Amino acid sequence: MSSTNMSTNASTDPSIDPSAAAPNPAAQADQKPSDQSPPGVSSGRSWRPDLRGRPELWLVPAVFVVVMLAWEFGVKLFGVKEFVLPPPSRILEQLRVQLESDLFWRHVWVTTEEAMIGFVIGVLAAMVLGTAISQLSLVEKTLMPYIVAFQTVPKVALAPLFVVWFGFGLTSKIVMAAVISFFPMLINVIEGLRSADADRIQMLKVFGAGRWQVFRKVQMPSAMPFIFAGIDIGIVFSILGAVVGEFIGAQEGLGYLLLQTNYNFDIPGMFAVLVVLSVMGLVAHAVVRLIQRRVTFWAEQSRVIGA
Amino acid sequence: MSHTAPMERAAVPSDAAAGTEAAADANPSWIRVEGLDKVYHPKRSAPTLALSDIDLHVRRGEFVSVVGPSGCGKTTLLKILAGLIPRTKGEVSIAGREVDRPIPEVGMVFQAATLLPWRTILQNVMVPAEIQKLDKRKSLARAHDLLDMVGLGEFKDKYPFELSGGMQQRAGICRALVHDPAVILMDEPFGALDAMTREYMNLELLRIWKESRATIVLVTHSIPEAVFLSDRVVVMSPRPGRIAEVLDIDIPRPRELRMMSSDAAGVYVERIRKYFNASVID
Ligand SMILES: Nc1ncnc2c1ncn2[C@@H]1O[C@H](COP(=O)(O)OP(=O)(O)OP(=O)(O)O)[C@@H](O)[C@H]1O
Ligand SMILES: [Mg+2]
């Protein structure tokens, strides 16, 4: 505060216009590039990708085309047998045939069902246990050694056991999917709830917040970015779990179909199933990302002071 | 009472000051701090004596500022007054009640704005009202008024990351006031503001103080600001934090910015500044 400032401002009218002090803040906010604005907050964003300064937008498809062409002609050039590595055109053909069969869609549905039910169970269990661990230190101290020990077990190795316990039907695959998506989720829930900023917790406490309010208003929202990271890993893992379960013993599902095509030396058909499995994983990932962007839009912006 | 006699009295005695004194006599010390010590015990290093033998008495409705070099324990003192951290020794009470946990009648502005990034500005300001389950319609009306007052009227539905640091800090001030607290603790609330906004906010704070008749304890880095706003200025010395002096500021109210360039104000500022210079030489 300099005295020059004060004398220029020495108005007897106490209601000095504050907008004079903060020069045109609205204009500043509008100058932000639209892709920095969170969804639901920005006004009118363009869906046409801006190619300037984003070479990846054409590099990614270009790499795909080059690899496919090299594969297609390389296989023919070196005379690689179709049951070792079929050319992409054969895989595509086989994929078309499969997509037209109802039986194939039945397999897709079975695997999807197992993975999703298992995923939901795994995520919910991880949320409950993770919350208990983060809120009650006795639970943490008692259970953490077991969780760490159990985490080192390769979960897919349990699949044969689950088939023995839960049979050849859906249940053993659901259990496998649940177990395999549970752990990455659990770790993220615990870390996320711990990540809550201590100053923000103190702020709530000053205003009289109790434990539950601190949990609801700070810890839970702070954990959301972590929880979504866990969900993102977990949902892809759950497909893996379902397929591994089907490998061990099943009458339907994409894992079962993979083994069948393999026994029959239908290698193009096998690749076609792999393509479908990766598309399923990609769709799951994309859906998670879409929801995440809406829920934790604020986490992508780091300009909050006290963060 | 621990405050020392002022070095010189202002030439013009004011009615406003007389009024505060009368009220003060009825309730001589509303915030009472006696023999307060605070020792931090960090996990990996030696204990720090952050506050030593602090005595402070604040009358109801009084405006007290705390100044002192960085690290002298100002934030620590405010957090103890807010009931956020335990004290090591001594007594602290507000309105006759011992402070060992946060009291709902207290509002606090933090050194960093500590807004919740997933809430809009308006939702952030409403946090105390939600926690204390106050009447929603009334609180919303007050939140709107406060935001308009600090010049954030157009930004109510924006998220904190869309605002500058100074704007976030102003939102933090609104949040501290929304539940109409009887005691307002402010930890360098204007630090992130430019000089012009800061002066405007100073005047607004005085207006809020007058209307709400709240008791304010303000920590600030700016000596002129402390002198301009306060009834008394507490000067703290560094490591361990002690009260070096308490000055009565006898500048008449209502105060206007032009009084800051008056001789009386200048004398106070110079006198406080001496403590800072002495502690730098140490
Ligand atoms: N949580 C803590 N654990 C250990 N030591 C702490 C803690 N908080 C503060 N201190 C120490 O206590 C002393 C006073 O800190 P405090 O934050 O109260 O200072 P301050 O006067 O607010 O400083 P500033 O003006 O820079 O904000 C410092 O030496 C600091 O290192
Ligand atoms: Mg501080």
Side-chain angles (χ1 to χ4, degrees):
Chain A
M1 274 196 196
S2 72
S3 53
T4 37
N5 253 337
M6 249 151 269
S7 46
T8 50
N9 230 7
S11 152
T12 42
D13 177 10
S15 60
I16 298 167
D17 180 11
S19 59
N24 204 1
Q28 285 172 357
D30 286 344
Q31 276 166 12
K32 278 191 185 173
S34 63
D35 62 353
Q36 268 185 20
S37 302
V41 179
S42 68
S43 53
R45 48 191 282 176
S46 147
W47 284 100
R48 189 181 298 162
D50 180 11
L51 286 172
R52 277 167 304 138
R54 296 193 61 188
E56 70 272 19
L57 286 180
W58 62 269
L59 274 174
V60 171
V63 166
F64 180 78
V65 169
V66 167
V67 169
M68 286 301 131
L69 286 177
W71 181 351
E72 180 78 35
F73 293 107
V75 166
K76 280 176 187 158
L77 194 67
F78 297 106
V80 181
K81 295 262 173 353
E82 193 173 87
F83 62 82
V84 176
L85 185 65
S89 56
R90 273 291 290 132
I91 297 172
L92 198 69
E93 201 184 310
Q94 197 60 32
L95 185 63
R96 233 196 47 236
V97 171
Q98 285 181 332
L99 290 181
E100 277 164 10
S101 101
D102 289 342
L103 187 62
F104 179 76
W105 282 104
R106 169 77 196 153
H107 290 305
V108 171
W109 168 246
V110 166
T111 302
T112 308
E113 193 185 12
E114 293 162 350
M116 289 308 110
I117 298 175
F119 165 75
V120 169
I121 295 172
V123 163
L124 290 183
M127 299 261 249
V128 171
L129 189 63
T131 305
I133 284 173
S134 80
Q135 298 298 302
L136 308 164
S137 76
L138 187 65
V139 175
E140 178 183 0
K141 283 176 189 143
T142 314
L143 292 187
M144 257 345 232
Y146 293 103
I147 288 165
V148 172
F150 204 70
Q151 239 213 314
T152 59
V153 176
K155 258 68 72 183
V156 290
L158 298 173
L161 197 59
F162 290 156
V163 172
V164 171
W165 286 348
F166 303 107
F168 289 90
L170 281 192
T171 317
S172 58
K173 286 82 190 174
I174 290 174
V175 172
M176 191 65 233
V179 166
I180 209 166
S181 50
F182 173 77
F183 282 93
M185 190 64 200
L186 179 69
I187 302 306
N188 274 286
V189 171
I190 296 172
E191 274 306 307
L193 289 172
R194 276 194 195 139
S195 76
D197 178 47
D199 286 347
R200 294 203 177 109
I201 293 177
Q202 282 207 330
M203 181 273 291
L204 280 199
K205 284 186 174 163
V206 165
F207 297 117
R211 243 178 113 147
W212 166 246
Q213 280 172 321
V214 168
F215 177 74
R216 264 291 290 114
K217 291 187 198 296
V218 178
Q219 289 180 304
M220 202 60 195
S222 302
M224 286 324 273
F226 290 79
I227 288 176
F228 271 103
I231 285 178
D232 203 1
I233 302 169
I235 202 162
V236 175
F237 272 28
S238 70
I239 299 175
L240 171 75
V243 169
V244 168
E246 288 163 357
F247 279 171
I248 306 300
Q251 278 93 47
E252 43 188 2
L254 288 175
Y256 164 81
L257 191 59
L258 266 181
L259 286 190
Q260 287 304 304
T261 48
N262 190 271
Y263 290 146
N264 299 334
F265 284 109
D266 176 12
I267 305 304
M270 209 180 139
F271 269 95
V273 176
L274 288 179
V275 169
V276 170
L277 278 172
S278 34
V279 168
M280 282 168 63
L282 279 175
V283 168
H285 170 73
V287 169
V288 171
R289 282 288 295 162
L290 197 77
I291 301 172
Q292 176 190 18
R293 286 232 183 106
R294 300 213 146 251
V295 176
T296 65
F297 61 88
W298 50 270
E300 270 139 60
Q301 325 283 335
S302 53
R303 268 190 60 235
V304 178
I305 46 177
Chain B
M1 294 247 204
S2 63
H3 62 94
T4 52
M7 195 172 58
E8 56 183 302
R9 292 258 156 204
V12 197
S14 80
D15 291 342
T20 349
E21 256 146 47
D25 287 340
N27 203 336
S29 56
W30 214 53
I31 301 177
R32 244 187 70 232
V33 178
E34 262 165 29
L36 172 67
D37 285 2
K38 173 66 191 179
V39 182
Y40 281 113
H41 295 277
K43 281 200 182 100
R44 279 169 220 286
S45 51
T48 330
L49 180 58
L51 294 173
S52 169
D53 199 26
I54 302 288
D55 289 317
L56 180 66
H57 295 250
V58 181
R59 294 179 298 251
R60 183 171 197 166
E62 198 178 11
F63 197 130
V64 171
S65 291
V66 179
V67 296
S70 181
C72 73
K74 305 181 294 294
T75 298
T76 303
L77 177 62
L78 276 202
K79 283 188 176 170
I80 290 175
L81 286 176
L84 276 178
I85 54 174
R87 53 190 184 270
T88 308
K89 223 182 91 200
E91 278 173 53
V92 178
S93 69
I94 293 182
R97 276 182 297 167
E98 190 191 348
V99 177
D100 49 11
R101 75 186 70 174
I103 300 174
E105 290 81 36
V106 170
M108 184 157 176
V109 182
F110 292 83
Q111 197 161 355
T114 55
L115 299 178
L116 304 178
W118 47 85
R119 283 172 171 247
T120 64
I121 296 305
L122 182 64
Q123 289 167 343
N124 263 291
V125 171
M126 288 294 286
V127 162
E130 279 173 33
I131 290 173
Q132 300 179 12
K133 303 198 167 56
L134 306 178
D135 181 75
K136 189 159 182 210
R137 281 233 326 276
K138 268 197 222 153
S139 313
L140 264 178
R142 185 164 163 85
H144 280 286
D145 287 349
L146 287 166
L147 284 168
D148 288 337
M149 178 203 83
V150 302
L152 291 179
E154 298 164 51
F155 297 88
K156 285 171 193 148
D157 297 322
K158 300 264 181 209
Y159 285 86
F161 61 80
E162 298 175 271
L163 270 60
S164 71
M167 291 158 94
Q168 292 180 31
Q169 192 60 22
R170 279 184 269 161
I173 293 168
C174 295
R175 180 181 59 195
L177 300 173
V178 76
H179 57 306
D180 203 6
V183 175
I184 304 170
L185 306 174
M186 309 180 99
D187 197 354
E188 289 174 37
F190 308 130
L193 304 183
D194 61 282
M196 299 261 282
T197 313
R198 190 171 186 147
E199 288 177 356
Y200 168 76
M201 291 297 295
N202 282 346
L203 290 170
E204 281 303 322
L205 180 60
L206 285 180
R207 198 175 62 74
I208 291 166
W209 174 59
K210 204 174 143 206
E211 276 173 15
S212 67
R213 321 195 73 206
T215 308
I216 297 185
V217 179
L218 169 90
V219 166
T220 174
H221 267 156
S222 161
I223 300 170
E225 181 174 272
V227 170
F228 174 63
L229 293 172
S230 314
D231 295 321
R232 283 187 298 149
V233 176
V234 175
V235 186
M236 289 183 65
S237 67
R239 263 154 287 137
R242 298 173 190 279
I243 294 185
E245 191 176 351
V246 181
L247 283 93
D248 287 87
I249 308 298
D250 284 322
I251 298 176
R253 293 189 191 272
R255 293 187 187 163
E256 284 160 22
L257 286 171
R258 88 176 105 82
M259 292 175 175
M260 284 314 300
S261 38
S262 73
D263 290 345
V267 170
Y268 288 121
V269 169
E270 274 319 303
R271 174 153 179 186
I272 297 168
R273 197 160 275 154
K274 275 202 192 101
Y275 284 95
F276 280 77
N277 295 342
S279 66
V280 169
I281 292 160
D282 263 5

